Amino acid sequence: MALNQAQSDLNSAPPRLGIALMVVLGTSLFWWVQPLGAEGLVAEHGGGAEVWTACLCFFQLTLLTGYLYAHALGRWASPSTALGLHGVCALLATLTFQLPSPPSAAAVEGELTWRILIQLAIDLGPAAVVLAGTSPLLQLAHHRTTGHAPWRLYALANLAALVLLLIHPFGLEPHLSSGAQGGLWRLLLGTYGVASLIVASRRALRGKRALPQPAASTALRRPTWLWACLGAAASALLMATTEGLSRDMASSPVLWVAPLAVFLASIIFTFDRPQCYRRGPTLTLMGAAIVSLAAASAFAETTPFALHAGAYLAVLACGATLCHGELYRSRPHPAELTRYHLSMAFGGALGGVAVAIGAPLLFTRLVEVPVSIALVCVAVSFALARESAGKQLMRRGLVGLTLVALACAGLELMALSSTETHDQRVVLRSRNAYGTLTLIERQHPGERRLLLVDGNTTHGEAIIDGPGAGMPTLYYAEETGVGQLFKAMQGQADSLRVAVIGMGVGTLAAYGRPQDTLTFYELNPAVVDIAHTHFRFLGDSASKTSVQVGDGRALLSATSPEDPFDLLVVDGFSSDAIPTHLLTQEAMALYRSRTTPGGRIALHVT
């Protein structure tokens, strides 16, 4: 009898451990699938910042859908029924999950961001949505069965995500292939579904009912709009920081994970140790971080990589901490946590769509970082204005913000005055998902030059009026490494077959002879249009030239090894960053397989 009583007590006890383990497993799987799914798209879509920005946008939209799903289950079903249905959905999702596959030739048309969103939705959508609902659904079950506030459980979920993100690039990626990781992920998703069914069968959950709907007057008093604003500002700053790091410094999956880790750490800090969050010191630190980032950006060529990256991450850490700290301070009663998370997810999705889709349509320059910083300041001001003490801090913060703006303006003026000035005018500005392009005409003594600038980096220059008109310039001039290589190889062979990954303005076409063939692979279609309409290197080339639009590595792999090139030039920069997938061991093996035994491979690195 005593044994039966003990088993009965165990079965009726709140299933805290089971819920905690499910939170850890489900959240880890959700964040693991992000880099796992994105890496399958890197080599197919150019490997630049735009790939990860689109992936982040997808997962923000997935969070919104998953939180809506959790909100519906939590409102209209008992905890036992909700977790049982959740487990069934997880098991069904294992049947639909697949890692993103290379797109077919017919599927490469259209705007890049939309192509990535659609592909991820088809391959990962159902599984990601189910896992996205893990945290709010289980927090609600925890509150209903224990009566305790679940906010530390939310911190635990983000801690699990942070640990997984740090393990992935250093522990999983070097030792497991994508296929092996995908198989393991599917197995763990099935385990998660079974665990959900087991937890749902506990008697402590079966006795609970669905939460009653709150009164309309109570719903109106909740700061739903504030939660959405803070979530949108934090999300926009995360995506803008990631984009800034990737475009102007290095396009690397490690740098994609770093901002996400900082973002998650801010959630853990504010929800697990809320007593440590202080508005005034955090605002002061953010002002200092903004000035540091402005200085690093103004003098980017002389700023060490670590300091520049650190300034970006410091701004994100302070801004995200402010948003998440105010989200915690304005948290509702635990009974309303699914609505709370849903409002945050709505804001997060709004911020993600604004950066990934809206910014390229609205702006011709990369202004997402300063705009997102301004959004954080506005959202936090809304939160402060709800309290009398906050209003006093707002007045002091306005003075501080003015001083920060003046300091940033002074740094920008110093940077401008330290550079050589020429008479110049902007001929064209354009922007798409691949970045910003600026066409500049400069008047030098005795000549005029036309420059193409991608982000903050010159990607080609032509002398259009002067004694050197039509001659290769900059890093393609005759005295450079690639210039000497062309002359040496042309002196040894009657004809050359040349492939160039990264066209720029087509400068290398100036080296072509009538018997030579040059094939350019260019990712950005806007670059191709500018090279044809504003520059003459391609049109005036004596050689047979052709241009193929798409990722250079993918296009090169589609060529036949039986018809190799004599020279392969790899110059695939995105702004000032080299996409990592062009420098891997697999990429080098591909380059060797597509060149003749006596051929040469030339890589432009800075």
Side-chain angles (χ1 to χ4, degrees):
M1 179 180 292
L3 180 60
N4 291 337
Q5 180 64 36
Q7 290 176 341
S8 177
D9 293 342
L10 180 62
N11 190 46
S12 61
R16 300 177 186 177
L17 180 60
I19 289 177
L21 291 177
M22 279 192 64
V23 166
V24 170
L25 179 58
T27 307
S28 299
L29 287 174
F30 177 77
W31 292 93
W32 180 6
V33 82
Q34 295 192 35
L36 183 60
E39 68 185 11
L41 300 172
V42 167
E44 301 301 330
H45 296 291
E50 63 280 348
V51 176
W52 184 242
T53 300
C55 290
L56 278 179
C57 180
F58 168 76
F59 285 105
Q60 293 286 4
L61 292 170
T62 300
L63 274 176
L64 174 59
T65 309
Y67 283 8
L68 181 62
Y69 151 83
H71 177 68
L73 281 181
R75 284 293 171 192
W76 299 320
S78 67
S80 177
T81 302
L83 288 182
L85 291 173
H86 187 62
V88 172
C89 290
L91 292 175
L92 291 176
T94 61
L95 304 177
T96 64
F97 169 77
Q98 62 177 352
L99 292 177
S101 55
S104 64
V108 297
E109 298 297 330
E111 206 277 325
L112 174 69
T113 300
W114 286 109
R115 298 204 318 261
I116 292 177
L117 291 177
I118 292 171
Q119 187 173 2
L120 287 173
I122 294 172
D123 295 336
L124 307 179
V129 166
V130 171
L131 291 171
T134 295
S135 183
L137 191 61
L138 291 173
Q139 285 181 66
L140 186 60
H142 176 273
H143 171 64
R144 292 305 311 276
T145 56
T146 66
H148 297 156
W151 308 119
R152 296 196 71 181
L153 196 62
Y154 183 51
L156 174 65
N158 286 278
L159 177 61
L162 176 60
V163 171
L164 193 283
L165 279 176
L166 296 178
I167 288 176
H168 182 265
F170 306 107
L172 294 174
E173 184 66 19
H175 306 293
L176 292 176
S177 66
S178 296
Q181 290 187 59
L184 177 60
W185 193 93
R186 188 195 297 268
L187 175 63
L188 291 175
L189 178 60
T191 303
Y192 172 81
V194 173
S196 183
L197 294 175
I198 293 174
V199 173
S201 67
R202 298 292 298 274
R203 187 183 304 169
L205 283 172
R206 292 201 302 269
K208 303 297 179 180
R209 297 180 180 178
L211 287 173
Q213 292 289 347
S217 58
T218 304
L220 290 176
R221 289 197 297 269
R222 288 191 301 268
T224 306
W225 61 270
L226 178 61
W227 301 333
C229 288
L230 290 167
S235 173
L237 184 59
L238 166 66
M239 296 188 63
T241 300
T242 306
E243 186 177 52
L245 282 169
S246 300
R247 289 196 188 280
D248 295 335
M249 301 184 66
S251 183
S252 166
V254 173
L255 279 184
W256 295 347
V257 168
L260 202 52
V262 169
F263 184 84
L264 292 173
S266 72
I267 299 177
I268 298 168
F269 172 75
T270 53
F271 278 80
D272 191 60
R273 293 290 184 269
Q275 67 276 11
C276 297
Y277 168 65
R278 294 290 183 270
R279 289 166 165 172
T282 308
L283 284 168
T284 303
L285 288 174
M286 185 169 183
I290 292 172
V291 174
S292 299
L293 179 58
S297 300
F299 303 99
E301 292 187 359
T302 58
T303 302
F305 177 90
L307 290 180
H308 202 168
Y312 267 112
L313 295 178
V315 170
L316 173 62
C318 294
T321 298
L322 283 169
C323 291
H324 294 138
E326 296 305 318
L327 279 168
Y328 182 84
R329 290 173 72 101
S330 62
R331 68 196 182 281
H333 186 275
E336 293 299 314
L337 68 87
T338 55
R339 187 184 298 273
Y340 175 63
H341 284 297
L342 183 60
S343 300
M344 285 194 293
F346 174 76
L350 192 63
V353 170
V355 173
I357 299 176
L361 296 176
L362 296 176
F363 305 116
T364 57
R365 301 186 183 187
L366 290 172
V367 297
E368 285 88 328
V369 171
V371 169
S372 61
I373 290 174
L375 288 176
V376 169
C377 294
V378 171
V380 172
S381 297
F382 287 155
L384 296 178
R386 292 167 52 84
E387 306 171 10
S388 57
K391 292 178 181 178
Q392 296 177 4
L393 185 59
M394 278 180 61
R395 288 191 287 269
R396 294 197 299 268
L398 182 61
V399 176
L401 187 62
T402 302
L403 294 176
V404 168
L406 290 174
C408 294
L411 289 168
E412 185 66 24
L413 290 175
M414 289 173 58
L416 290 174
S417 63
S418 65
T419 59
E420 184 181 4
T421 59
H422 301 281
D423 292 332
Q424 67 178 36
R425 69 182 183 92
V426 175
V427 178
L428 174 70
R429 291 189 190 276
S430 71
R431 180 175 179 180
N432 58 15
Y434 299 103
T436 61
L437 298 173
T438 307
L439 193 61
I440 299 173
E441 183 181 315
R442 283 185 175 177
Q443 184 70 48
H444 291 252
E447 65 180 19
R448 286 187 303 127
R449 297 192 176 205
L450 198 61
L451 293 85
L452 177 64
V453 180
D454 183 349
N456 59 6
T457 305
T458 301
H459 273 211
E461 180 185 61
I463 302 172
I464 57 176
D465 185 12
M471 298 294 293
T473 60
L474 296 179
Y475 38 79
Y476 288 146
E478 293 183 356
E479 63 271 17
T480 63
V482 74
Q484 295 181 45
L485 180 60
F486 260 96
K487 288 193 292 185
M489 295 189 69
Q490 287 174 339
Q492 298 171 0
D494 294 333
S495 63
L496 292 177
R497 294 189 71 249
V498 182
V500 182
I501 296 179
M503 185 179 70
V505 299
T507 309
L508 287 180
Y511 287 104
R513 303 172 298 180
Q515 63 270 33
D516 295 333
T517 301
L518 274 74
T519 302
F520 291 92
Y521 302 119
E522 173 56 47
L523 179 66
N524 191 344
V527 170
V528 178
D529 293 339
I530 291 175
H532 280 295
T533 56
H534 294 276
F535 293 86
R536 298 175 56 184
F537 290 117
L538 293 171
D540 292 350
S541 177
S543 64
K544 298 179 285 293
T545 62
S546 62
V547 179
Q548 297 185 33
V549 179
D551 176 67
R553 176 172 166 176
L555 293 172
L556 186 66
S557 65
T559 63
S560 172
E562 304 301 323
D563 196 15
F565 296 96
D566 301 299
L567 172 61
L568 173 61
V569 180
V570 182
D571 187 16
F573 279 75
S574 173
S575 185
D576 205 25
I578 306 173
T580 310
H581 77 292
L582 296 179
L583 301 176
T584 62
Q585 294 180 5
E586 293 83 0
M588 298 302 162
L590 172 65
Y591 301 156
R592 295 189 188 98
S593 70
R594 296 304 190 271
T595 53
T596 59
R600 297 290 182 267
I601 303 171
L603 293 97
H604 181 193
V605 294
T606 298

